């Protein structure tokens, strides 16, 4: 549904569509390389309207990322938690991420966060805090899934949940950067599957009593 103005006249944009177009522009150009003119062209909104609706460039990016996180949560978490087998769950999760990272007309775009704002994290405290929070959410998601697998005896009772979660997070970050560098989707999928197998082997999957 389109947003309505204070006077009751419909605005010529849809919030979700506009933010999706803005995020795609950030992913293509990077945060620094994306200007308000680029965002205006991508969203088909005049700069004054864009600023009035969403704020400055940082505000637009943060709102676009928040929408991406919300929209992708069900798909991402469903792959991770709905599958009883830990190995199958991790394979499904990383293949879903690779599909997201591989979006792009001519080359992979990488992660909407890790591939876009890592360079700005030290210069902009707000963006740095958002990146830190995103990394924390990833770690927590993996810790929760590993804990479930340990409780279900898919992993030994002595499994270091934090260590396994950190290895899985590191794999996710590596895939994001490889995608951004142009690694093809089949190669990313191969890396994901092999890495998951090695991580689970190191964690002792299949050896629980």
């Amino acid at each position: 549904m389109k947003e309505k103005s204070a006077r009751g006249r419909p605005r010529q944009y849809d919030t979700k569509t506009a933010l999706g177009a803005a995020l795609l522009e950030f992913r293509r150009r990077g945060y620094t390389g994306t200007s308000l003119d680029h965002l205006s062209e991508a969203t088909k909104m005049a700069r004054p309207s864009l600023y009035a609706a969403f704020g400055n460039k940082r505000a637009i990016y943060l709102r676009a990322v928040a929408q991406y996180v919300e929209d992708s949560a069900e798909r991402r978490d469903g792959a991770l938690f709905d599958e009883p087998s830990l190995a199958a769950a991790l394979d499904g999760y990383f293949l879903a991420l690779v599909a997201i990272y591989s979006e792009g007309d001519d080359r992979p775009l990488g992660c909407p966060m890790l591939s876009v704002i890592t360079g700005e994290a030290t210069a902009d405290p707000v963006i740095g805090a958002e990146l830190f929070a995103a990394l924390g959410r990833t770690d927590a998601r993996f810790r929760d899934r590993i804990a479930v697998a340990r409780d279900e005896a898919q992993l030994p009772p002595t499994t270091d949940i934090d260590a396994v979660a950190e290895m899985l997070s590191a794999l996710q970050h590596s895939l994001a950067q490889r995608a951004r560098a142009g690694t093809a989707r089949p190669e990313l999928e191969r890396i994901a599957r092999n890495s998951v197998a090695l991580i689970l082997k190191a964690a002792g999957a299949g050896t629980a009593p």
Side-chain angles (χ1 to χ4, degrees), residues 170-183:
L171 171 59
Q172 179 166 330
H173 306 156
S174 175
L175 291 171
Q177 296 304 321
R178 287 175 181 272
R180 187 66 170 180
T183 303

Side-chain angles (χ1 to χ4, degrees), residues 10 14 19 36 45 47 52 56 82 85 90 110 116 122 133 143-144 158 176 200-201 207:
D14 176 82
L19 290 174
L36 283 175
M45 296 172 64
R47 281 186 57 167
N56 60 17
D82 292 348
S85 163
L90 291 175
V116 176
T122 56
R143 282 197 300 269
D144 290 345
T158 57
L200 291 179
K201 182 178 180 180
T207 64

Side-chain angles (χ1 to χ4, degrees), residues 33 49 51 54 76 97 103 108 117 119 126 149 160 164 167 171 176 186:
S49 298
Y51 194 88
F54 303 116
R76 186 181 58 244
L97 281 181
E103 293 171 343
I117 60 169
V126 174
D160 187 333
V164 178
M167 286 190 285
L171 171 59

Side-chain angles (χ1 to χ4, degrees), residues 121-134:
T122 56
D124 188 320
V126 174
I127 285 181
E130 180 61 30
L131 180 59
F132 185 80

Side-chain angles (χ1 to χ4, degrees), residues 59-82:
I60 295 169
Y61 174 74
L62 293 176
R63 283 195 62 178
V65 165
Q67 177 177 285
Y68 158 76
V69 171
E70 180 180 351
D71 290 347
S72 64
E74 183 175 355
R75 175 185 178 188
R76 186 181 58 244
D77 293 345
L80 192 60
F81 289 96
D82 292 348

Side-chain angles (χ1 to χ4, degrees), residues 84-135:
S85 163
L86 176 61
L90 291 175
D91 277 346
Y93 176 86
F94 282 108
L95 291 181
L97 281 181
V98 166
I100 293 172
Y101 294 169
S102 299
E103 293 171 343
D105 296 334
D106 53 358
R107 60 171 292 160
L109 295 175
C111 174
M113 293 197 66
L114 298 178
S115 301
V116 176
I117 60 169
T118 50
E120 283 69 39
T122 56
D124 188 320
V126 174
I127 285 181
E130 180 61 30
L131 180 59
F132 185 80
L135 298 177

